[in-house]
Amino acid sequence: MSLLLEACALSHVYADGSIGLDGCSLAVRPGSRNALLGSNGSGKTTLLQHFNALLRPTGGAVRFSGQPLDYGRSGLNALRRQVGLVFQNPDRQLFSASVTEDVSFGPLNLGLDEAAVRTRVAEALAAVGMSELADKPVHHLSFGQKKRVCIAGVLAMQPDVLLLDEPMAGLDAAMQVELQSLLDALAARGITIVLSTHDVDFAYRWADDIHLLAAGCCLASFAAADLTQHAGALAAAGQPLPAMAQLHRALATRGLLDEDGDSPPRSLDALLARLNT
Ligand SMILES: Nc1ncnc2c1ncn2[C@@H]1O[C@H](COP(=O)(O)OP(=O)(O)O)[C@@H](O)[C@H]1O
Ligand SMILES: [Mg+2]
């Protein structure tokens, strides 16, 4: 199968000499949901910023659709239409007075006419459930609403790939559920999603593919369904087994459910469905 985004022995040394990435290699399949899973400082943000060319490698390469990134002006414009990044902190991304202005910025820069921009903005705001707040000043929004406006701003560019840096961080439980269903809806539309997280439980229940990052390196990439086969790499990356996998193991040990060789359930409902009753 063809690969959409690849980090090939990617290294990045920051101006102060800090090592952001250190020979990181991983690949993202088109249409897949990917979690970059790693503890603080493992290189997640640095990697995401390479994927849309905000940062350039000091070693190795990033490839998109099989081609090395073109860092010339037209190459960057083309890339940023196709690969959108949502920052961890919305205040670093939002800069216009109103929600509509902010979400319009990207499409206006594409040179689209006013009607086309209006349509894109309306669609993007509807996708994130923010249509009602279109005229609100950005600085009056809650953190979760700002986050959604940031996502709308990227969606208005109609990207093939959506990159999100720690999208769940700082959201309350209800907003996390909402954001997860938004991500599910976008994935169902065929958008490839790559997000960073330090939450193994979230990565396990949400992702198709998990890429384990530690010290600027990708220790392992695997299907989330196969996670328990990678306990060693998880431990090396400082990650516990997901609670659902631990619970499954404990119940199986006590004979309360069959260890039938399948991978452990990834949701509570799936686990309950397997209980011996
Ligand atoms: N702007 C920067 N200048 C210097 N070092 C940085 C900068 N950003 C990140 N780093 C360093 O690069 C490494 C990876 O950081 P980062 O990509 O932010 O990790 P993560 O997002 O997984 O927490 C860390 O050691 C961090 O201190
Ligand atoms: Mg980070």
Side-chain angles (χ1 to χ4, degrees):
M1 183 192 282
S2 66
L3 296 167
L4 193 58
L5 264 177
E6 293 161 88
C8 309
L10 192 60
S11 294
H12 187 86
V13 182
Y14 282 100
D16 69 354
S18 306
I19 295 175
L21 291 172
D22 187 14
C24 179
S25 294
L26 61 83
V28 170
R29 298 175 298 122
S32 60
R33 313 153 186 239
N34 296 262
L36 308 176
L37 175 64
S39 46
N40 282 336
S42 58
K44 303 181 295 296
T45 298
T46 307
L47 178 58
L48 287 173
Q49 294 193 352
H50 277 78
F51 279 154
N52 88 332
L54 269 184
L55 292 174
R56 295 185 192 197
T58 41
V62 177
R63 296 170 78 85
F64 180 62
S65 291
Q67 299 298 318
L69 292 195
D70 166 5
Y71 293 94
R73 184 191 290 204
S74 65
L76 288 180
N77 283 342
L79 179 76
R80 300 217 172 110
R81 268 204 291 279
Q82 292 166 297
V83 181
L85 171 63
V86 179
F87 285 80
Q88 176 166 7
N89 180 356
D91 290 322
R92 280 199 52 197
Q93 189 149 2
L94 301 173
F95 50 86
S96 303
S98 81
V99 168
T100 295
E101 266 179 69
D102 217 284
V103 178
S104 305
F105 179 79
L108 280 173
N109 264 359
L110 292 181
L112 298 172
D113 65 45
E114 214 177 296
V117 171
R118 227 177 300 137
T119 308
R120 281 194 183 208
V121 171
E123 282 172 4
L125 287 176
V128 301
M130 288 287 291
S131 306
E132 244 114 84
L133 298 175
D135 299 322
K136 266 236 175 197
V138 162
H139 64 274
H140 285 174
L141 301 177
S142 72
F143 180 83
Q145 290 168 334
K146 284 181 182 172
K147 196 113 213 173
R148 283 191 275 165
V149 174
C150 290
I151 297 174
V154 173
L155 290 181
M157 301 294 280
Q158 302 186 341
D160 302 319
V161 184
L162 183 59
L163 310 171
L164 304 107
D165 199 359
E166 303 267 1
M168 296 295 167
L171 297 183
D172 66 28
M175 287 196 296
Q176 289 192 11
V177 171
E178 265 179 42
L179 180 55
Q180 198 177 321
S181 32
L182 171 60
L183 296 180
D184 287 344
L186 296 173
R189 275 165 49 185
I191 297 180
T192 304
I193 303 179
V194 183
L195 56 76
S196 67
T197 181
H198 53 256
D199 180 347
V200 70
D201 293 305
F202 169 65
Y204 187 52
R205 77 171 172 266
W206 175 80
D208 298 318
D209 294 341
I210 293 177
H211 311 276
L212 261 184
L213 264 60
C217 217
C218 181
L219 299 186
S221 290
F222 45 80
D226 298 336
L227 173 139
T228 50
Q229 297 164 28
H230 298 271
L234 276 174
Q239 299 294 326
L241 271 184
M244 211 51 72
Q246 293 189 39
L247 186 56
H248 176 261
R249 180 180 289 175
L251 291 171
T253 308
R254 287 164 180 73
L256 295 169
L257 50 66
D258 296 326
E259 193 133 38
D260 44 17
D262 290 346
S263 45
R266 289 162 63 188
S267 72
L268 189 55
D269 285 345
L271 181 114
L272 292 174
R274 287 210 216 161
L275 274 182
N276 294 331
T277 48

